Amino acid sequence: MPVLSIVLGALALLGQCFVPVVGGSDVPVQAQVIDQRAFNVLNTTKPPTESNAKTPFIPPGQTEDSLTRRPFHVYDQEFLKILGKSPTFTRIAHSPKNPLYHEAVVWSNETDEVFFVQNAGAKNASTGLKKSSIIEKVSLADAAAVSNRTDAIGMVKVSTVPSSPMVINPNGATNYRGQIIFTGEGQGDDKPPSLWVMNPQKPYNTTVLLNNYFGRQFNSLNDVAVHPRSKDVYFTDTIYGWVQDFRPAPGLQDQVYRFNPDTGAVTVVADGFDHPNGFTFSPDGDYAYVTDTGIDSGFFGLNFSRPASIYRFDVKKDGTLENRKTFAFVNSGAPDGIHCDSLGNVYAGCGDGVQVWNPSGTLIGKIYTGMTSANFNFAGKGRMVICAETDLYYVTLAAGGSYVDSEM
């Protein structure tokens, strides 16, 4: 045994000698390297009641303050290329209680504004059944003007968008033929979940594209994406309106649909999820990514044995999805909104901020907010807006978004 101990000790020292070092001069001021080997073996691991998807994980040698102070967490050197030399992280708005900054983060190229929506079903806001959540926007020029600050609350105007007719409980959104398409979750028995199209400029007029599946109401439409080649519209339908008390019990299973706006055809392309949520495509359209937030059933509570996962599908030439595989399982909260950058890296809004994986599914970094960040999006190249419920962030970095021009 003494010989074995000596050998193991030598191996441990050898491992320390070969820790891949990211040069200090190469790590941006607001970034820090997280060595995952530091927590491969812990002195104490807590039971699931004390350590789970809703409890923050603080790596050894770190504190919540140290993680927040330098919010760009480098898990792999690949992430440095995404960040560039001097990324910035600025809080541009705060709402003390009302979760105004929740979902549907989408950039309008024509107006250089980012649109987003309030949390539908939030108890603190009484949204959902009693009143619809609202659409808001910020100017990217205003955000860029304060990007040299870490906190710029009150310096960037957040404007309410008076959609007309009003989009009812909007959630996901994407660019669509020069406009913005929203998934509306619906309200009560008589206002069905729908796909809405809104003009991103005054008078913000809207049109309903789809509100049923062969006469049957959808459950609660969640997210939407346009395929970069075919321009077909894909969207997820899940039960969150019901588990947040503003929609009736589901009449369909949770599924992913494809909608051809030219023919009107609506088809189911994937099922077998707990709660399919975010949806996006790789830049070339060869892959589709779907997040499953099965651990969270709203007012019914949490079940940590259910999915907090991202699934990847192959997209066939005929638009069908096949070869489902598990792409990632999230350590904090559940993956909600999901987007790719122009190189095919995958980003998801999670319980601690925005997590980033390379195309092979390796976690390479985090943009750490320390709180649930349901959605975010790029605004062209080098800019990102993150919704974190009661906080709104503006980020600059080297990467650019996978923008789909859906003009036909």
Side-chain angles (χ1 to χ4, degrees), residues 132-352:
S132 172
S133 57
I134 60 174
I135 302 171
E136 296 188 296
K137 66 173 184 174
V138 293
S139 161
L140 270 298
D142 290 350
V146 297
S147 62
N148 61 325
R149 299 170 175 264
T150 57
D151 211 327
I153 295 173
M155 302 179 71
V156 176
K157 182 180 180 181
V158 179
S159 303
T160 299
V161 178
S163 56
S164 180
M166 185 178 188
V167 178
I168 303 300
N169 286 325
N171 195 71
T174 195
N175 301 100
Y176 175 79
R177 300 185 179 184
Q179 301 186 83
I180 297 174
I181 187 169
F182 286 94
T183 53
E185 294 192 76
Q187 187 177 56
D189 292 343
D190 302 325
K191 295 179 180 177
S194 306
L195 291 179
W196 299 74
V197 173
M198 187 190 80
N199 181 354
Q201 304 184 61
K202 292 181 179 179
Y204 305 111
N205 47 297
T206 65
T207 303
V208 174
L209 279 185
L210 178 71
N211 69 0
N212 73 93
Y213 182 72
F214 294 92
R216 299 165 66 179
Q217 288 189 2
F218 293 107
N219 297 328
S220 186
L221 300 190
N222 195 282
D223 201 10
V224 60
V226 176
H227 191 270
R229 293 196 300 265
S230 72
K231 313 303 183 186
D232 282 351
V233 178
Y234 290 70
F235 58 95
T236 58
D237 185 37
T238 189
I239 65 169
Y240 280 117
W242 176 52
V243 300
Q244 291 179 297
D245 290 347
F246 65 89
R247 283 284 295 146
L252 295 164
Q253 67 171 323
D254 289 359
Q255 300 178 130
V256 179
Y257 296 81
R258 178 182 53 163
F259 173 52
N260 183 318
D262 296 322
T263 67
V266 182
T267 55
V268 175
V269 291
D271 63 10
F273 303 94
D274 274 30
H275 304 323
N277 199 312
F279 189 99
T280 198
F281 291 104
S282 60
D284 56 12
D286 288 345
Y287 299 115
Y289 296 92
V290 185
T291 66
D292 192 333
T293 51
I295 69 167
D296 190 345
S297 290
F299 300 159
F300 286 91
L302 303 172
N303 183 338
F304 296 121
S305 68
R306 306 310 303 167
S309 307
I310 300 172
Y311 299 106
R312 191 184 79 182
F313 294 82
D314 294 338
V315 183
K316 308 306 291 181
K317 289 183 179 180
D318 63 1
T320 56
L321 307 184
E322 66 177 30
N323 297 332
R324 166 175 163 158
K325 67 166 290 185
T326 300
F327 177 79
F329 181 82
V330 170
N331 74 291
S332 178
D336 196 325
I338 186 167
H339 302 285
C340 289
D341 66 20
S342 59
L343 298 179
N345 297 301
V346 181
Y347 302 59
C350 302
D352 57 0

Side-chain angles (χ1 to χ4, degrees), residues 88-107 113-119 134-140 142-144 146-147 149-160 353-354 367-379 383-396:
T88 63
F89 181 88
T90 307
R91 185 168 66 158
I92 58 174
H94 175 69
S95 173
K97 193 173 182 181
N98 185 352
L100 286 169
Y101 319 115
H102 177 59
E103 268 273 16
V105 187
V106 61
W107 173 54
E113 296 170 318
V114 166
F115 293 75
F116 48 88
V117 302
Q118 182 185 27
N119 192 331
I134 60 174
I135 302 171
E136 296 188 296
K137 66 173 184 174
V138 293
S139 161
L140 270 298
D142 290 350
V146 297
S147 62
R149 299 170 175 264
T150 57
D151 211 327
I153 295 173
M155 302 179 71
V156 176
K157 182 180 180 181
V158 179
S159 303
T160 299
V354 176
I367 304 174
Y368 189 82
T369 64
M371 63 187 74
T372 296
S373 303
N375 213 337
F376 65 96
N377 210 342
F378 286 95
R383 305 180 300 182
M384 177 185 287
V385 171
I386 301 174
C387 281
E389 300 302 310
T390 55
D391 287 306
L392 186 69
Y393 295 93
Y394 176 71
V395 173
T396 66

